[in-house]
Amino acid sequence: MDPLERLYVDALLEDPEEPKRSLRPQLLAGARARRRPAAPTADWARPYAGRVAAMDALLAAAVEDDWSRVIVEGWTLQELVAHLAAKDGLLAASVGAPVLGPELTTADSAARTADVQSYERARSPEQTRRDWRAQADALCRHLANLPAAEPAALDGLNAPVSDHILARALETWVHTDDAARVARITLPLPLPEHIHPTADMCARLLPWTMLLSGHDASGRTLGLELTGPGGGAWHLALGAEDGAAAGEPDARITADVVAFCFLLGGRGDAETFEATLAGDVALARDVLATAPALSGP
């Protein structure tokens, strides 16, 4: 079986103390029947396709009360899915893929989120889920015919589409985790071969998160070691305009790869983040403190 088709909903283990007359087993059986594998796409877009399939499997298990439960940012589950659809749609528009939902009148993700959420509140949660998934699958299929270096823009940031889709993978992963935590569900981690390119994208963002936060780290370098499946090691120039890093790093950070990705995704506190720091510890702390600078709701 393709690893992307792992049965995420099977992680919703039945409570051993569940009442005998509970409908949960039937609900889970229905959810399993409605799950769908990841859409076919380019190799470099598979981390996103996998996170979409995982989120969709979680949504398949949702019942009526789940959809109105607040997950994050004051948003219900339905509004959270609308937010994902809004940002996916902006990237889709940038590369010429289909966009569902209300007429596209803005390129700003916050404004587009508000438009899509308003539109989806008048529809059923299942309609929201269906169109979010249909748009995401269409984007995946469209990307199969594009080069990774194809330019794309989202919220004024111009970058290769491969980096933008990894950012969408990270946000979808983070919000799937947000929803799963509220539901007290533990889902499997992404495949290591999907975690690694996501971590690589996060590592390459560090010079920009430093710059955006007002830290000029020109001429400074970082040795980053991320442990666990999908991890790796990076030698990074921390100046946004610097060339390739050389020589001994000025600072070193060793941390868990999943925790690092979530820190960049706006989940985690740099003050309490578990990491081993060496070399210029003050510089390393600045790197961690500024890491979430590009994360949004």
Side-chain angles (χ1 to χ4, degrees), residues 132-237:
W132 160 75
R133 179 69 197 261
Q135 179 180 256
D137 284 357
L139 175 57
C140 285
R141 293 187 176 94
H142 185 81
L143 295 178
N145 299 311
L146 292 183
E150 180 80 10
L154 183 58
D155 276 338
L157 177 63
N158 297 303
V161 66
S162 56
D163 280 347
H164 276 300
I165 205 66
L166 285 171
R168 300 304 311 130
L170 176 59
E171 183 169 2
T172 306
W173 180 13
V174 167
H175 284 321
T176 302
D177 185 74
D178 289 335
R181 286 177 182 274
V182 171
R184 297 182 180 179
I185 290 167
T186 300
L187 292 178
L189 290 173
L191 299 170
E193 55 264 39
H194 292 177
I195 292 176
H196 182 77
T198 306
D200 178 71
M201 182 268 300
C202 290
R204 289 185 287 107
L205 283 176
L206 292 177
W208 300 100
T209 60
M210 291 281 283
L211 185 64
L212 185 63
S213 302
H215 290 261
D216 183 0
S218 299
R220 312 301 303 282
T221 60
L222 174 72
L224 176 67
E225 182 176 354
L226 300 178
T227 61
W234 289 260
H235 189 186
L236 302 164

Side-chain angles (χ1 to χ4, degrees), residues 31-207:
R32 292 186 180 102
R34 295 195 301 274
R35 65 181 170 230
R36 288 184 287 165
T41 191
D43 286 348
W44 45 265
R46 285 184 179 176
Y48 169 74
R51 289 306 87 210
V52 167
M55 180 61 152
D56 195 41
L58 182 67
L59 297 177
V63 296
E64 185 175 354
D65 288 347
D66 294 325
W67 286 102
S68 59
R69 188 171 292 125
V70 172
I71 305 299
V72 69
E73 300 291 334
W75 295 335
T76 64
L77 181 59
Q78 185 176 15
E79 290 167 337
L80 178 61
V81 176
H83 167 66
L84 290 173
K87 294 192 70 173
D88 288 349
L90 290 176
L91 180 57
S94 177
V95 295
V99 179
L100 298 182
E103 181 183 359
L104 188 59
T105 60
T106 178
D108 177 75
S109 63
R112 180 60 178 172
T113 289
D115 288 347
V116 177
Q117 288 176 337
S118 177
Y119 173 81
E120 294 298 345
R121 288 187 194 106
R123 292 167 20 110
S124 72
E126 186 56 34
Q127 287 174 314
T128 302
R129 174 199 171 204
R130 181 197 64 202
D131 282 7
W132 160 75
R133 179 69 197 261
Q135 179 180 256
D137 284 357
L139 175 57
C140 285
R141 293 187 176 94
H142 185 81
L143 295 178
N145 299 311
L146 292 183
E150 180 80 10
L154 183 58
D155 276 338
L157 177 63
N158 297 303
V161 66
S162 56
D163 280 347
H164 276 300
I165 205 66
L166 285 171
R168 300 304 311 130
L170 176 59
E171 183 169 2
T172 306
W173 180 13
V174 167
H175 284 321
T176 302
D177 185 74
D178 289 335
R181 286 177 182 274
V182 171
R184 297 182 180 179
I185 290 167
T186 300
L187 292 178
L189 290 173
L191 299 170
E193 55 264 39
H194 292 177
I195 292 176
H196 182 77
T198 306
D200 178 71
M201 182 268 300
C202 290
R204 289 185 287 107
L205 283 176
L206 292 177

